[in-house]
Amino acid sequence: MSTKWPEGYGLILLDQTDSTMSEAHRRASDISGPTWIMAKHQTAAHGRRGRAWASPSGNFAATLVLRPAETPDVVALRSFVTALALFDAFVALTGRAEAFALKWPNDVLMHGGKLAGILLESAGSGARVDMLSIGIGVNLVAAPAAAEVEPSAVAPVSLGGDVSQEDFLGELAAHYAIWETRFVTYGFAPIREAWLARAARLGEVVTARTMQESFVGTFEDVDAQGNLVLATAKGRLAIPAADVFFS
């Protein structure tokens, strides 16, 4: 791991586990501060809404465990913090900022294809979040086959090259620590501004599908609560959760 490890962050390295998210929950009682859990191989990875996440050998899988102090709505904004850290890690490793973009709510694209995904799971009661697990999957060396992803979803791509899992974790952890400090110190406003500057399809027509319905409109903004803002035929809509599809 060539990058200096960020101060105050723990590290657990595993050869294999079912999923780093599940590992985080099993180890919850032993984790008191921010801790990264990385596995070289996962046997039962999952993504949003319980979908299977293909994890070929050599790809990156890790979970960051945090003990946040904010309310659940603020805690959830760390998906944007994580996306910015991923973006910066990719740029640091490739030198090609123009190749990458951020897709609401939780993906990183390379040349328009899905390179990385983010999954947030929290545990707590009422207005308190006791633990936040941020799961991250990156197609470092191989991308899943088209048949393994949802129809009409963005096609997966891989970073390629010879970046090791350990080296990628070092870059990601270092950049995450920087963005986390900004978030805790200054709030969501600078995170939102930075994310929008890297957003995919801003100003273009997209489709947002919730569990109940679909909305087609121009991607205008991400608001102060992290909602996707679309200008539709029925007016301006702020959508808190959805899958976004490009035309």
Side-chain angles (χ1 to χ4, degrees):
M1 195 177 293
S2 57
T3 304
K4 183 179 179 182
W5 189 255
E7 185 177 353
Y9 284 73
L11 174 60
I12 299 170
L13 293 176
L14 305 170
D15 286 330
Q16 179 173 299
T17 187
D18 48 357
S19 81
T20 57
M21 293 291 270
S22 297
E23 194 74 38
H25 290 295
R26 286 192 292 268
R27 294 174 180 255
S29 61
D30 299 323
I31 297 175
S32 58
T35 301
W36 284 94
I37 302 173
M38 189 192 87
K40 292 184 178 179
H41 181 64
Q42 293 188 117
T43 60
H46 66 279
R48 292 181 69 232
R49 297 178 180 171
R51 297 170 182 143
W53 176 273
S55 187
S57 179
N59 279 358
F60 179 82
T63 293
L64 173 60
V65 180
L66 299 174
R67 298 290 186 179
E70 307 93 352
T71 55
D73 57 326
V74 176
V75 168
L77 296 173
R78 281 184 173 83
S79 60
F80 297 92
V81 177
T82 308
L84 289 167
L86 279 165
F87 185 99
D88 284 356
F90 290 132
V91 174
L93 290 164
T94 67
R96 296 181 288 128
E98 72 285 353
F100 305 100
L102 304 179
K103 178 177 178 285
W104 190 92
N106 54 12
D107 295 336
V108 182
L109 309 182
M110 183 177 75
H111 299 305
K114 181 173 177 176
L115 179 61
I118 301 163
L119 175 65
L120 269 62
E121 293 182 354
S122 60
S125 57
R128 178 182 172 84
V129 176
D130 295 323
M131 185 180 85
L132 175 68
S133 300
I134 305 173
I136 300 162
V138 179
N139 299 327
L140 272 189
V141 300
E148 297 182 73
V149 300
E150 186 178 358
S152 73
V154 173
V157 296
S158 65
L159 187 66
D162 55 358
V163 178
S164 71
Q165 296 163 320
E166 292 84 357
D167 284 347
F168 186 79
L169 176 61
E171 286 290 348
L172 177 59
H175 288 291
Y176 184 90
I178 292 169
W179 284 108
E180 172 72 13
T181 297
R182 291 174 184 166
F183 179 60
V184 172
T185 305
Y186 303 108
F188 183 56
I191 303 299
R192 172 182 168 274
E193 182 179 355
W195 192 96
L196 284 167
R198 298 158 176 79
R201 304 297 181 98
L202 186 64
E204 299 184 24
V205 174
V206 301
T207 299
R209 295 178 188 166
T210 69
M211 297 293 286
Q212 289 79 32
E213 53 189 322
S214 293
F215 303 95
V216 177
T218 301
F219 173 20
E220 284 196 338
D221 201 357
V222 168
D223 67 18
Q225 289 73 47
N227 299 318
L228 176 73
V229 179
L230 296 184
T232 75
K234 296 182 179 180
R236 209 163 184 254
L237 295 178
I239 301 170
D243 289 322
V244 172
F245 297 86
F246 299 152
S247 302

